[in-house]
Amino acid sequence: MASISASCLRFQPLLLQSQTSTKSNLKMVSVNWAKKAYRFRVSCAAKPETVEKVCGIVRKQLALAPEISLTPESKFSDLGADSLDTVEIVMGLEEEFDISVEEDSSQNITTVQEAADLIEKLVEKKPEVAS
């Protein structure tokens, strides 16, 4: 039996749907209860531990002061990262999580959350090593 966990549900009026960004990893779900239609997005966010590790790597790579707050929404560019810093962040993530990030995917990583989500996806795809 499969289990599903959600860390966030965001309800949105149907009229505002056209105003939302089309570039998203969120899936739209429509539900009808008591003759009223509701639409909400379901996000499969990365585990908190993964987000914490990504924050640690970003903090170390960018030599961020301890008082600088990092959240899943933190953008690398807002933290002062240039393209070389981003490449080095990805290399640090590859080493920490024993994964390989394709160049196409690495160019789409702009936030801590995007990095953590990609890591979860890649770790899930990794073949298990027999002991």
Side-chain angles (χ1 to χ4, degrees):
M1 181 165 89
S3 66
I4 299 173
S5 66
S7 61
C8 175
L9 287 179
R10 182 176 13 171
F11 288 88
Q12 177 177 25
L14 292 173
L15 296 174
L16 294 178
Q17 177 58 33
S18 62
Q19 298 171 0
T20 60
S21 170
T22 57
K23 185 179 176 186
S24 174
N25 65 348
L26 302 177
K27 303 294 182 212
M28 293 300 300
V29 179
S30 296
V31 181
N32 290 315
W33 285 305
K35 297 184 182 182
K36 290 187 178 183
Y38 297 91
R39 186 174 284 190
F40 57 94
R41 292 175 182 248
V42 178
S43 171
C44 299
K47 297 175 194 166
E49 309 86 62
T50 303
V51 174
E52 284 180 40
K53 282 185 180 182
V54 171
C55 286
I57 291 167
V58 170
R59 184 174 298 285
K60 180 180 176 184
Q61 178 58 45
L62 300 178
L64 298 176
E67 62 270 8
I68 294 178
S69 174
L70 285 178
T71 67
E73 294 79 26
S74 295
K75 291 184 179 184
F76 299 154
S77 60
D78 292 346
L79 298 169
D82 59 18
S83 58
L84 180 57
D85 290 323
T86 302
V87 168
E88 291 180 356
I89 289 169
V90 171
M91 289 171 57
L93 297 172
E94 288 177 324
E95 186 177 323
E96 175 69 28
F97 292 95
D98 191 28
I99 56 172
S100 179
V101 178
E102 293 181 21
E103 189 175 340
D104 295 352
S105 298
S106 68
Q107 293 174 352
N108 295 325
I109 299 173
T110 61
T111 67
V112 170
Q113 186 66 57
E114 289 170 352
D117 290 344
L118 178 62
I119 289 164
E120 296 266 326
K121 183 177 165 184
L122 293 172
V123 167
E124 188 176 288
K125 287 183 180 179
K126 265 179 55 172
E128 292 185 29
V129 179
S131 13

CSV table of all heavy atoms in Angstrom, one decimal, residues 12-33:
chain,number,residue,atom,x,y,z
A,12,GLN,N,-7.0,27.8,-3.6
A,12,GLN,CA,-6.9,28.9,-4.5
A,12,GLN,C,-8.3,29.0,-5.2
A,12,GLN,O,-8.8,28.1,-5.7
A,12,GLN,CB,-5.8,28.7,-5.5
A,12,GLN,CG,-5.7,29.7,-6.5
A,12,GLN,CD,-4.5,29.4,-7.4
A,12,GLN,OE1,-4.1,28.2,-7.5
A,12,GLN,NE2,-3.9,30.4,-8.0
A,13,PRO,N,-8.9,30.2,-5.2
A,13,PRO,CA,-10.2,30.4,-5.9
A,13,PRO,C,-10.0,30.1,-7.4
A,13,PRO,O,-9.0,30.4,-7.9
A,13,PRO,CB,-10.5,31.8,-5.7
A,13,PRO,CG,-9.7,32.3,-4.5
A,13,PRO,CD,-8.5,31.4,-4.5
A,14,LEU,N,-11.0,29.5,-8.0
A,14,LEU,CA,-10.9,29.1,-9.4
A,14,LEU,C,-10.7,30.3,-10.3
A,14,LEU,O,-10.0,30.3,-11.3
A,14,LEU,CB,-12.2,28.4,-9.8
A,14,LEU,CG,-12.4,27.0,-9.2
A,14,LEU,CD1,-13.8,26.5,-9.6
A,14,LEU,CD2,-11.4,26.1,-9.7
A,15,LEU,N,-11.2,31.5,-9.9
A,15,LEU,CA,-11.1,32.7,-10.7
A,15,LEU,C,-9.6,33.2,-10.8
A,15,LEU,O,-9.3,33.8,-11.8
A,15,LEU,CB,-12.0,33.8,-10.2
A,15,LEU,CG,-13.5,33.6,-10.2
A,15,LEU,CD1,-14.2,34.7,-9.5
A,15,LEU,CD2,-13.9,33.4,-11.7
A,16,LEU,N,-8.8,32.9,-9.8
A,16,LEU,CA,-7.4,33.4,-9.8
A,16,LEU,C,-6.5,32.4,-10.6
A,16,LEU,O,-5.3,32.7,-10.7
A,16,LEU,CB,-7.0,33.6,-8.4
A,16,LEU,CG,-7.6,34.6,-7.6
A,16,LEU,CD1,-7.1,34.7,-6.2
A,16,LEU,CD2,-7.5,36.0,-8.3
A,17,GLN,N,-7.0,31.3,-11.0
A,17,GLN,CA,-6.1,30.3,-11.7
A,17,GLN,C,-5.4,30.9,-12.8
A,17,GLN,O,-4.2,30.7,-13.0
A,17,GLN,CB,-7.0,29.1,-12.2
A,17,GLN,CG,-6.2,28.1,-12.9
A,17,GLN,CD,-5.1,27.5,-12.1
A,17,GLN,OE1,-5.2,27.4,-10.9
A,17,GLN,NE2,-3.9,27.2,-12.7
A,18,SER,N,-6.0,31.7,-13.7
A,18,SER,CA,-5.3,32.3,-14.8
A,18,SER,C,-4.2,33.3,-14.4
A,18,SER,O,-3.3,33.6,-15.3
A,18,SER,CB,-6.3,33.0,-15.7
A,18,SER,OG,-6.9,34.1,-15.0
A,19,GLN,N,-4.2,33.8,-13.2
A,19,GLN,CA,-3.2,34.7,-12.8
A,19,GLN,C,-1.9,34.1,-12.2
A,19,GLN,O,-0.9,34.7,-11.9
A,19,GLN,CB,-3.7,35.7,-11.7
A,19,GLN,CG,-4.9,36.5,-12.2
A,19,GLN,CD,-5.6,37.2,-11.1
A,19,GLN,OE1,-5.2,37.1,-9.9
A,19,GLN,NE2,-6.6,38.0,-11.4
A,20,THR,N,-1.9,32.7,-12.0
A,20,THR,CA,-0.8,32.1,-11.4
A,20,THR,C,0.2,31.7,-12.5
A,20,THR,O,-0.1,31.6,-13.6
A,20,THR,CB,-1.2,30.8,-10.7
A,20,THR,OG1,-1.8,29.9,-11.6
A,20,THR,CG2,-2.2,31.1,-9.6
A,21,SER,N,1.4,31.5,-12.0
A,21,SER,CA,2.5,31.2,-12.9
A,21,SER,C,2.3,29.8,-13.6
A,21,SER,O,1.8,28.9,-12.9
A,21,SER,CB,3.8,31.1,-12.1
A,21,SER,OG,4.9,30.6,-12.9
A,22,THR,N,2.7,29.7,-14.8
A,22,THR,CA,2.5,28.4,-15.5
A,22,THR,C,3.7,27.5,-15.3
A,22,THR,O,3.6,26.3,-15.5
A,22,THR,CB,2.3,28.6,-17.0
A,22,THR,OG1,3.4,29.3,-17.5
A,22,THR,CG2,1.0,29.4,-17.3
A,23,LYS,N,4.8,28.1,-14.8
A,23,LYS,CA,6.0,27.3,-14.6
A,23,LYS,C,6.0,26.8,-13.1
A,23,LYS,O,6.4,27.6,-12.3
A,23,LYS,CB,7.3,28.1,-14.9
A,23,LYS,CG,8.5,27.2,-14.7
A,23,LYS,CD,9.8,28.1,-15.1
A,23,LYS,CE,11.0,27.2,-14.8
A,23,LYS,NZ,12.2,28.0,-15.0
A,24,SER,N,5.6,25.6,-12.9
A,24,SER,CA,5.5,25.1,-11.5
A,24,SER,C,5.6,23.6,-11.5
A,24,SER,O,5.2,22.9,-12.4
A,24,SER,CB,4.1,25.6,-10.9
A,24,SER,OG,4.0,25.0,-9.7
A,25,ASN,N,6.1,23.1,-10.4
A,25,ASN,CA,6.1,21.6,-10.2
A,25,ASN,C,4.9,21.2,-9.4
A,25,ASN,O,4.9,20.0,-9.0
A,25,ASN,CB,7.4,21.2,-9.5
A,25,ASN,CG,7.5,21.7,-8.1
A,25,ASN,OD1,6.8,22.6,-7.7
A,25,ASN,ND2,8.5,21.2,-7.4
A,26,LEU,N,3.9,22.0,-9.2
A,26,LEU,CA,2.7,21.7,-8.5
A,26,LEU,C,1.7,21.2,-9.4
A,26,LEU,O,1.6,21.6,-10.6
A,26,LEU,CB,2.2,22.9,-7.7
A,26,LEU,CG,3.2,23.6,-6.8
A,26,LEU,CD1,2.5,24.8,-6.2
A,26,LEU,CD2,3.5,22.6,-5.7
A,27,LYS,N,0.9,20.2,-9.0
A,27,LYS,CA,-0.2,19.6,-9.8
A,27,LYS,C,-1.5,20.2,-9.3
A,27,LYS,O,-1.8,20.3,-8.1
A,27,LYS,CB,-0.1,18.1,-9.6
A,27,LYS,CG,1.2,17.5,-10.0
A,27,LYS,CD,1.5,17.7,-11.5
A,27,LYS,CE,2.8,17.0,-11.8
A,27,LYS,NZ,3.5,17.6,-12.9
A,28,MET,N,-2.3,20.5,-10.3
A,28,MET,CA,-3.7,21.0,-9.9
A,28,MET,C,-4.6,19.8,-9.7
A,28,MET,O,-4.6,18.8,-10.5
A,28,MET,CB,-4.3,21.9,-11.1
A,28,MET,CG,-3.5,23.2,-11.3
A,28,MET,SD,-3.6,24.2,-9.8
A,28,MET,CE,-5.3,24.5,-9.6
A,29,VAL,N,-5.5,19.9,-8.7
A,29,VAL,CA,-6.4,18.9,-8.4
A,29,VAL,C,-7.8,19.6,-8.2
A,29,VAL,O,-7.8,20.6,-7.4
A,29,VAL,CB,-6.0,18.1,-7.1
A,29,VAL,CG1,-7.1,17.1,-6.8
A,29,VAL,CG2,-4.7,17.5,-7.3
A,30,SER,N,-8.8,19.1,-8.8
A,30,SER,CA,-10.1,19.7,-8.7
A,30,SER,C,-11.0,18.7,-7.9
A,30,SER,O,-10.9,17.5,-8.1
A,30,SER,CB,-10.8,20.0,-10.0
A,30,SER,OG,-10.1,20.9,-10.7
A,31,VAL,N,-11.8,19.2,-7.0
A,31,VAL,CA,-12.6,18.3,-6.1
A,31,VAL,C,-14.0,19.0,-6.0
A,31,VAL,O,-14.1,20.2,-5.9
A,31,VAL,CB,-12.0,18.2,-4.7
A,31,VAL,CG1,-12.9,17.3,-3.9
A,31,VAL,CG2,-10.6,17.6,-4.8
A,32,ASN,N,-15.0,18.2,-6.0
A,32,ASN,CA,-16.4,18.7,-5.8
A,32,ASN,C,-17.0,18.2,-4.5
A,32,ASN,O,-17.0,17.0,-4.3
A,32,ASN,CB,-17.3,18.3,-7.0
A,32,ASN,CG,-17.0,19.0,-8.3
A,32,ASN,OD1,-16.7,20.2,-8.3
A,32,ASN,ND2,-16.9,18.3,-9.4
A,33,TRP,N,-17.3,19.1,-3.6
A,33,TRP,CA,-17.9,18.7,-2.4
A,33,TRP,C,-19.2,19.6,-2.3
A,33,TRP,O,-19.2,20.8,-2.4
A,33,TRP,CB,-17.0,19.1,-1.2
A,33,TRP,CG,-15.9,18.2,-1.0
A,33,TRP,CD1,-15.9,16.8,-0.8
A,33,TRP,CD2,-14.5,18.5,-0.8
A,33,TRP,NE1,-14.7,16.3,-0.6
A,33,TRP,CE2,-13.8,17.4,-0.6
A,33,TRP,CE3,-13.8,19.7,-0.9
A,33,TRP,CZ2,-12.4,17.4,-0.5
A,33,TRP,CZ3,-12.5,19.7,-0.7
A,33,TRP,CH2,-11.8,18.5,-0.5
